[in-house]
């Protein structure tokens, strides 16, 4: 197992001993998602970027569920999914936002020599690979638009 998986497994055991049933359920689901990704990739271990990708995907799925539940007026589902998001986000690095995001975008755009919209695809691919799980694509594109003018 890799770093985040080890930490999540240890935290699940501690939550199990502490009787935190809701937390245990979320952590078990994450461990299962890690195992499914390992099977999909035919590997015994995931690297850190892949682990962060699994966590980011889990948060995105729950955010989508929250949006759907709000539309249907299901406050119970909204509360449950929001609580799960909080648990998952404990394992994700702090998100890039505001000036920090803009700075990283400027830095990478300069490094790659991005000059206009034609470089957007190459930039996004590199940025998302470097900062996986730390920023939403829409926010990165908006910041890139400001940088490229």
């Amino acid at each position: 197992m890799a770093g985040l998986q080890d930490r999540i497994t240890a935290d699940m055991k501690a939550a199990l001993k502490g009787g935190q049933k809701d937390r245990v359920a979320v952590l078990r689901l994450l461990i299962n998602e890690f195992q499914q990704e390992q099977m999909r990739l035919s590997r015994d271990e995931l690297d850190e970027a892949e682990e962060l990708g699994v966590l980011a995907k889990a948060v995105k799925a729950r955010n989508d569920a929250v949006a759907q539940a709000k539309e249907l007026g299901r406050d119970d589902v909204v509360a449950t999914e929001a609580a799960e998001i909080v648990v998952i986000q404990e394992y994700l690095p702090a998100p890039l936002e505001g000036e920090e995001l803009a700075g990283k975008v400027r830095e990478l755009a300069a490094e790659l020599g991005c000059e206009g919209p034609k470089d957007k695809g190459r930039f996004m691919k590199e940025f998302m690979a470097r900062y996986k799980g730390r920023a939403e694509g829409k926010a990165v594109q908006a910041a890139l638009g400001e940088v490229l003018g």
Side-chain angles (χ1 to χ4, degrees):
M1 271 193 257
L4 278 173
Q5 278 183 273
D6 286 338
R7 189 170 141 213
I8 289 172
T9 300
D11 289 353
M12 185 206 54
K13 290 175 184 176
L16 195 59
K17 289 178 184 176
Q20 300 170 313
K21 292 180 183 178
D22 293 340
R23 185 173 178 82
V24 169
V26 174
L27 297 177
R28 278 187 175 150
L29 286 172
L30 290 177
I31 291 168
N32 184 46
E33 289 175 25
F34 284 133
Q35 291 170 344
Q36 287 177 350
E37 185 70 5
Q38 287 171 326
M39 287 179 8
R40 189 183 73 76
L41 297 172
S42 299
R43 285 206 238 128
D44 291 334
E45 291 187 7
L46 300 175
D47 64 28
E48 184 179 3
E50 291 164 340
E51 289 176 331
L52 291 174
V54 169
L55 295 178
K57 187 176 173 184
V59 169
K60 184 177 184 332
R62 283 158 181 84
N63 280 328
D64 292 345
V66 166
Q68 290 176 355
K70 282 183 181 178
E71 286 179 17
L72 299 173
R74 296 286 313 270
D75 293 336
D76 57 327
V77 175
V78 171
T80 301
E81 297 292 334
E84 289 183 8
I85 290 169
V86 169
V87 172
I88 297 167
Q89 285 179 333
E90 292 175 21
Y91 300 97
L92 287 169
L96 293 172
E97 295 174 334
E99 189 52 43
E100 184 181 12
L101 174 61
K104 299 281 186 193
V105 168
R106 278 192 300 273
E107 186 179 297
L108 184 59
E111 180 183 322
L112 296 176
C114 294
E115 297 174 359
K118 65 179 174 44
D119 297 320
K120 188 176 186 178
R122 182 172 55 108
F123 174 86
M124 290 300 294
K125 182 178 179 183
E126 181 65 26
F127 188 92
M128 297 313 271
R130 285 190 190 188
Y131 302 105
K132 189 161 190 108
R134 294 199 60 198
E136 284 197 26
K138 290 178 184 177
V140 175
Q141 286 180 356
L144 180 62
E146 291 176 19
V147 169
L148 297 178

